[in-house]
């Protein structure tokens, strides 16, 4: 019998193919299977030609060609496709074998699947995989979680193929249940925020400063050499300088309606469920929803009034620096909110998350990789119980240094009529977070006035009382509840 494979891979779309080739480069023998068998032959005859990759035409054949404990990784569409594949896999695997879901599955589904597999002796792992096509091929960020017994068997493979930063692997065990996919979901939520912030910076440059694509590309190139050094800034630079066949910027020809696959929405929903003010990611999701109203916006643009001119009249070079400061400060808020959400989820689901380790996982290979993730790692290494990144000395100074420009951008954008929802909500969150006393006391009084929902007195924390505000109501109060 020919040599057994180290791992099986189900799914031969772009991510699957590239991760297989990455594994092959590191001496890992992969057996591949795809629901459409012809794709297996096509891959082995083309992209996989000359490699040690072997094929299987059925899941039974796949299982027979794997070393024990069998390790099978799925890179298939989230949802029913994952369910169907697991149902078939459990018929050909044995207790102690490992199933790895490398897709963008919803974390609650992963928690359920891990328990169902554990009940029949299988080890289930839900792993975030970030980096897109390039990351999968050359080194992704990997965020595995689930049944920890599986980790010792998959760690050598995951560490081998993951991205490396300063010699350290951008992969570590995240935690129990669906924690791996939860961390990947938050990663994608932060990605939504980053992309929206960069788009708003681009919009301000184009409209208020009347900059051409090549000029903006040069600015992003310069920004990428400093504090804003990141993958998304880098690709924005490249996108802006890319020319179509007629020599004109391709970006100007792309329809202004952004799509989404759902992970940003999931992040916003779980934030609401847990009562965490992840406002920037939520606003970024809504911005995409608004962008989809292309026809309505076209009609509204001819009816709704705004400023007559959106061009900035002041020192344009100084305003460009203000945009950079607003982008940097808002980006910090985006990450701070993401880590706040993970901390609350860890409490809710009793996960033991290592936030410094998560920051390290994101330093390379993934879409949100950026220079200051090293500062985030240091912040949590210095204080594992840190309540918010905004309380860390590095980020306290960083946001303070950006104050003037950040506020200038948000205020000028409002005057000029240029929408900057992510910049605005980031600043509002920052100001709310640093405000010792917010006007929620009035909201509590209003709720008690119209619904007898009670309120809490400063002098008696934890004690809720009701007032008969009009003299006409009764003294019976409704139940008290917290968000």
């Amino acid at each position: 019998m020919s040599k057994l494979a180290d791992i099986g891979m189900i799914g031969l779309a772009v991510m699957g193919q590239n991760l297989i080739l990455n594994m092959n480069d590191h001496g890992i023998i992969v057996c591949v299977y795809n629901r459409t068998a012809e794709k297996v032959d096509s891959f082995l005859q083309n992209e996989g030609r000359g490699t040690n990759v072997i094929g299987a035409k059925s899941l039974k054949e796949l299982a027979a060609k794997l070393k024990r404990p069998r390790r099978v990784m799925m890179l298939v569409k989230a949802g029913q496709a994952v369910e169907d594949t697991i149902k078939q896999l459990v018929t050909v695997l044995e207790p102690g074998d490992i199933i790895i879901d490398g897709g963008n599955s919803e974390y609650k589904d992963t928690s359920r699947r891990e328990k169902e597999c554990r009940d029949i002796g299988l080890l289930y792992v839900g792993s975030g995989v970030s980096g897109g096509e390039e990351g999968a091929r050359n080194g992704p960020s990997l965020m595995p979680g689930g049944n920890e017994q599986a980790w010792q068997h998959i760690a050598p493979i995951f560490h081998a193929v993951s991205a490396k930063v300063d010699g350290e692997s951008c992969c570590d065990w995240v935690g129990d249940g669906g924690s791996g996919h939860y961390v990947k979901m938050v990663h994608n939520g932060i990605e939504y925020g980053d992309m929206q912030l960069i788009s708003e910076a681009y919009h301000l440059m184009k409209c208020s400063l009347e900059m051409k694509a090549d000029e903006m590309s040069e600015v992003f190139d310069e920004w990428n050499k400093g504090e804003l050094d990141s993958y998304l800034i880098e690709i924005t630079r490249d996108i802006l300088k890319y020319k179509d066949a007629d020599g004109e910027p391709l970006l100007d020809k792309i329809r202004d309606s952004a799509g989404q696959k759902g992970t940003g929405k999931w992040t916003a929903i779980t934030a609401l469920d847990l009562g965490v003010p992840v406002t920037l990611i939520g606003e970024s999701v809504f911005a995409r929803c608004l962008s989809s109203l292309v026809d309505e916006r076209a009609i509204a643009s001819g009816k709704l009034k705004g400023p007559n001119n959106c061009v900035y009249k002041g020192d344009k070079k100084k305003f460009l620096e203000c945009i950079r400061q607003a982008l940097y400060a808002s980006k910090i808020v985006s990450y701070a909110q993401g880590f706040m959400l993970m901390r609350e989820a860890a409490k809710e689901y009793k996960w033991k998350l290592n936030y410094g380790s998560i920051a390290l996982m994101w330093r390379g290979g993934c879409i949100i990789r950026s220079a200051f993730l090293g500062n985030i790692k240091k912040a949590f290494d210095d204080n594992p119980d840190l309540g918010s990144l905004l309380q860390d000395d590095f980020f306290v100074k960083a946001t303070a240094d950006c104050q003037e420009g950040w506020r200038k951008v948000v205020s000028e954008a409002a005057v000029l009529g240029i929408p900057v929802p992510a910049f605005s909500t980031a600043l509002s969150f920052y100001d709310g977070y640093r405000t010792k006393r917010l006007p929620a006391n009035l909201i509590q009084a209003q709720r008690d006035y119209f619904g007898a929902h009670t309120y809490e007195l400063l002098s008696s924390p934890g004690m809720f009382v009701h007032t008969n505000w009009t003299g006409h109501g009764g003294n019976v109060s409704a139940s008290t509840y917290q968000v």
Side-chain angles (χ1 to χ4, degrees):
M1 185 177 179
S2 58
K3 192 172 183 179
L4 294 176
D6 298 301
I7 189 169
M9 183 70 73
I10 300 174
L12 281 171
V14 173
M15 288 292 285
Q17 288 192 19
N18 282 284
L19 196 55
I20 290 164
L21 295 174
N22 182 350
M23 290 179 177
N24 180 77
D25 289 346
H26 289 86
I28 299 161
I29 300 176
V30 186
C31 182
V32 302
Y33 168 78
N34 196 81
R35 186 169 57 87
T36 307
E38 292 79 9
K39 283 193 174 182
V40 175
D41 292 332
S42 176
F43 175 72
L44 294 176
Q45 292 165 12
N46 294 285
E47 295 86 357
R49 179 184 289 274
T51 68
N52 291 319
V53 179
I54 57 179
K57 297 298 178 67
S58 69
L59 289 177
K60 184 176 181 180
E61 183 183 354
L62 176 76
K65 291 183 175 182
L66 297 177
K67 294 176 183 176
R68 286 178 168 79
R70 300 178 180 94
R71 293 164 286 198
V72 181
M73 186 169 188
M74 304 177 292
L75 276 172
V76 299
K77 188 176 181 180
Q80 193 58 46
V82 175
E83 294 287 346
D84 293 342
T85 304
I86 294 171
K87 286 179 182 177
Q88 296 174 60
L89 277 173
V90 297
T91 67
V92 298
L93 297 180
E94 300 172 351
D97 289 342
I98 301 160
I99 300 175
I100 307 162
D101 177 9
N104 275 332
S105 289
E106 208 272 342
Y107 75 97
K108 290 182 180 178
D109 286 339
T110 301
S111 293
R112 171 179 54 78
R113 292 163 184 159
E114 189 277 319
K115 183 181 184 305
E116 290 172 352
C117 284
R118 185 170 10 110
D119 289 344
I120 58 174
L122 296 176
L123 312 183
Y124 192 87
V125 173
S127 179
V129 179
S130 180
E133 179 180 355
E134 179 189 346
R137 183 66 184 86
N138 301 308
S141 170
L142 298 171
M143 299 153 252
N147 192 321
E148 194 169 4
Q149 293 180 49
W151 181 228
Q152 63 178 313
H153 301 292
I154 67 173
I157 295 175
F158 274 40
H159 283 314
V161 302
S162 66
K164 309 295 185 298
V165 174
D166 298 330
E168 295 184 273
S169 169
C170 294
C171 169
D172 200 358
W173 185 253
V174 174
D176 299 334
S179 59
H181 275 142
Y182 193 94
V183 169
K184 176 56 164 57
M185 177 194 72
V186 174
H187 164 285
N188 284 21
I190 294 173
E191 178 185 309
Y192 271 60
D194 261 7
M195 293 171 74
Q196 178 63 28
L197 290 168
I198 293 170
S199 296
E200 290 177 15
Y202 151 76
H203 197 195
L204 283 164
M205 288 186 217
K206 184 176 181 180
C207 296
S208 69
L209 300 181
E210 299 181 297
M211 295 175 69
K212 302 297 183 185
D214 285 337
E215 293 179 278
M216 290 185 279
S217 179
E218 290 175 7
V219 169
F220 278 102
D221 183 56
E222 191 61 33
W223 286 356
N224 201 48
K225 297 172 184 176
E227 295 169 324
L228 286 169
D229 174 21
S230 67
Y231 174 72
L232 286 170
I233 294 288
E234 180 184 318
I235 68 169
T236 301
R237 172 202 66 195
D238 295 343
I239 289 167
L240 282 162
K241 69 181 179 184
Y242 192 92
K243 301 294 190 295
D244 201 3
D246 60 2
E248 295 299 314
L250 177 59
L251 182 59
D252 291 341
K253 301 178 181 181
I254 297 176
R255 194 168 188 256
D256 59 321
S257 177
Q260 53 182 308
K261 288 189 174 180
T263 47
K265 180 176 71 174
W266 292 348
T267 310
I269 290 171
T270 189
L272 288 169
D273 287 342
L274 296 176
V276 182
V278 184
T279 55
L280 198 152
I281 293 170
E283 195 63 59
S284 299
V285 174
F286 286 129
R288 293 197 188 190
C289 296
L290 181 59
S291 78
S292 70
L293 304 179
V294 178
D295 294 336
E296 285 186 51
R297 288 190 289 111
I299 295 170
S301 67
K303 293 184 176 182
L304 301 181
K305 302 302 179 185
N308 293 325
N309 195 327
C310 66
V311 178
Y312 181 66
K313 301 299 183 184
D315 187 315
K316 295 191 175 184
K317 186 175 181 180
K318 288 184 179 179
F319 192 57
L320 187 60
E321 170 57 16
C322 290
I323 296 173
R324 186 197 68 80
Q325 292 178 8
L327 180 55
Y328 184 47
S330 298
K331 185 181 174 81
I332 290 171
V333 168
S334 181
Y335 282 75
Q337 290 184 354
F339 277 90
M340 286 173 68
L341 181 57
M342 287 189 287
R343 182 173 290 282
E344 192 60 32
K347 292 178 185 177
E348 178 73 16
Y349 301 114
K350 297 178 173 57
W351 295 331
K352 295 179 180 179
L353 302 184
N354 184 326
Y355 305 104
S357 176
I358 291 169
L360 177 60
M361 287 183 235
W362 292 350
R363 282 182 66 196
C366 69
I367 303 301
I368 65 170
R369 60 184 182 265
S370 63
F372 74 46
L373 277 160
N375 301 109
I376 293 178
K377 182 180 186 302
K378 184 178 184 305
F380 284 112
D381 286 348
D382 292 345
N383 181 7
D385 297 321
L386 184 66
S388 168
L389 286 174
L390 294 176
Q391 296 179 12
D392 176 74
D393 289 345
F394 175 86
F395 294 105
V396 167
K397 183 179 186 304
T399 49
D401 290 346
C402 293
Q403 286 284 302
E404 185 177 349
W406 196 6
R407 297 184 187 282
K408 177 79 170 175
V409 164
V410 172
S411 59
E412 287 293 338
V415 170
L416 296 172
I418 299 173
V420 287
F423 281 150
S424 299
T425 197
L427 182 58
S428 291
F429 172 85
Y430 176 84
D431 282 337
Y433 188 71
R434 69 176 186 82
T435 299
K436 186 174 181 179
R437 186 166 170 80
L438 290 168
N441 55 326
L442 176 57
I443 295 173
Q444 289 293 71
Q446 290 170 333
R447 293 176 67 248
D448 189 55
Y449 187 109
F450 65 69
H453 291 298
T454 74
Y455 54 86
E456 187 179 12
L457 286 170
L458 288 170
S459 59
S460 305
M463 181 178 294
F464 291 84
V465 297
H466 166 60
T467 290
N468 184 349
W469 297 88
T470 64
H472 304 297
N475 292 315
V476 179
S477 63
S479 60
T480 299
Y481 63 90
Q482 302 297 318
V483 174

